Amino acid sequence: DAGITQSPRHKVTETGTPVTLRCHQTENHRYMYWYRQDPGHGLRLIHYSYGVKDTDKGEVSDGYSVSRSKTEDFLLTLESATSSQTSVYFCAISGASGVTNEQFFGPGTRLTVL
Amino acid sequence: QKEVEQDPGPLSVPEGAIVSLNCTYSNSAFQYFMWYRQYSRKGPELLMYTYSSGNKEDGRFTAQVDKSSKYISLFIRDSQPSDSATYLCAMSETSGTYKYIFGTGTRLKVLA
């Protein structure tokens, strides 16, 4: 394992509630990413971070925000969850070895929005 | 048209068979190519990482890149039931980029 954990691993919530997912890494990777994975769509980038407090949007960022106050933690927040955000969310990291293209994934968070 | 196309399968093969998994892509700027294995309800695991064209071998796995045809392949020799998983291809244009484009994955079943 590349030293990535995600919490919670499973969550069921109701439409309109805020949700925060956490990604924690122990490998000192510079880059961190949040993806969602849905049948027929594969992995789609939500947001990414290229350093502490440096973040930017991916291709499906609407309805999501992120924060990175420490190298090891990257938070994904759904401000007001909708049923379309039911998905499996993966955190990924890259950059510790200097070969930034090798990207390692966490175990995933399965989110259900009712 | 998607930037990366990958047959979703499922692909079923008998144990011991040689498996060929493929992705095609449209962006000629892609230079870095990756293959991931994903078991059910797990995160993707990086299997192979290659740069530009050519072959790379690691144990029973061989990754092949043909940039002229915009086609990449992953070969698995002597396939085992434990190889049953979904295989994802991924690509990026340059090093240090955040932008990785993923295929939707091919589901492989190796029958004992």
Side-chain angles (χ1 to χ4, degrees):
Chain A
D1 290 346
I4 315 173
T5 57
Q6 292 183 231
S7 59
R9 296 293 313 281
H10 303 271
K11 187 168 181 67
V12 179
T13 191
E14 293 188 350
T15 298
T17 60
V19 176
T20 295
L21 308 182
R22 179 182 184 235
C23 176
H24 179 79
Q25 58 140 332
T26 59
E27 303 291 318
N28 200 35
H29 284 72
R30 178 182 175 187
Y31 300 92
M32 299 185 76
Y33 313 79
W34 277 108
Y35 290 90
R36 59 179 290 174
Q37 186 175 41
D38 304 286
H41 291 279
L43 284 159
R44 292 181 292 175
L45 181 65
I46 304 171
H47 280 279
Y48 68 100
S49 169
Y50 46 95
V52 173
K53 298 187 179 179
D54 292 323
T55 65
D56 208 344
K57 297 178 180 180
E59 64 176 302
V60 290
S61 60
D62 286 348
Y64 302 96
S65 62
V66 291
S67 66
R68 190 171 179 197
S69 58
K70 299 185 289 185
T71 298
E72 56 267 33
D73 290 324
F74 193 32
L75 304 181
L76 177 70
T77 297
L78 289 65
E79 302 289 348
S80 178
T82 67
S83 59
S84 64
Q85 294 176 312
T86 292
S87 186
V88 182
Y89 291 86
F90 288 103
C91 176
I93 58 177
S94 69
S97 64
V99 183
T100 57
N101 293 78
E102 290 180 298
Q103 192 178 54
F104 303 97
F105 285 82
T109 294
R110 190 169 294 269
L111 176 67
T112 301
V113 183
L114 302 175
Chain B
Q1 182 188 3
K2 293 182 179 179
E3 279 191 280
V4 178
E5 299 278 359
Q6 188 175 8
D7 189 324
L11 176 63
S12 294
V13 301
E15 182 176 358
I18 296 174
V19 176
S20 173
L21 303 166
N22 311 296
C23 286
T24 59
Y25 61 94
S26 57
N27 184 352
S28 58
F30 287 142
Q31 298 186 74
Y32 298 86
F33 305 91
M34 288 142 280
W35 284 97
Y36 290 85
R37 177 176 62 196
Q38 186 175 21
Y39 291 114
S40 180
R41 296 183 171 266
K42 300 289 186 182
E45 172 194 6
L46 182 64
L47 275 180
M48 301 289 282
Y49 168 80
T50 54
Y51 168 70
S52 194
S53 288
N55 293 358
K56 183 175 182 179
E57 188 174 321
D58 184 1
R60 295 185 297 111
F61 298 91
T62 299
Q64 192 172 81
V65 175
D66 182 348
K67 292 189 71 180
S68 62
S69 300
K70 298 191 184 69
Y71 189 88
I72 68 170
S73 300
L74 178 70
F75 297 97
I76 307 174
R77 291 183 297 281
D78 188 24
S79 57
Q80 302 295 310
S82 59
D83 294 326
S84 297
T86 296
Y87 290 80
L88 306 168
C89 62
M91 308 175 189
S92 68
E93 292 183 16
T94 61
S95 63
T97 183
Y98 71 91
K99 190 175 181 182
Y100 299 78
I101 306 299
F102 288 84
T104 52
T106 299
R107 190 173 161 203
L108 172 67
K109 294 181 180 179
V110 181
L111 306 172

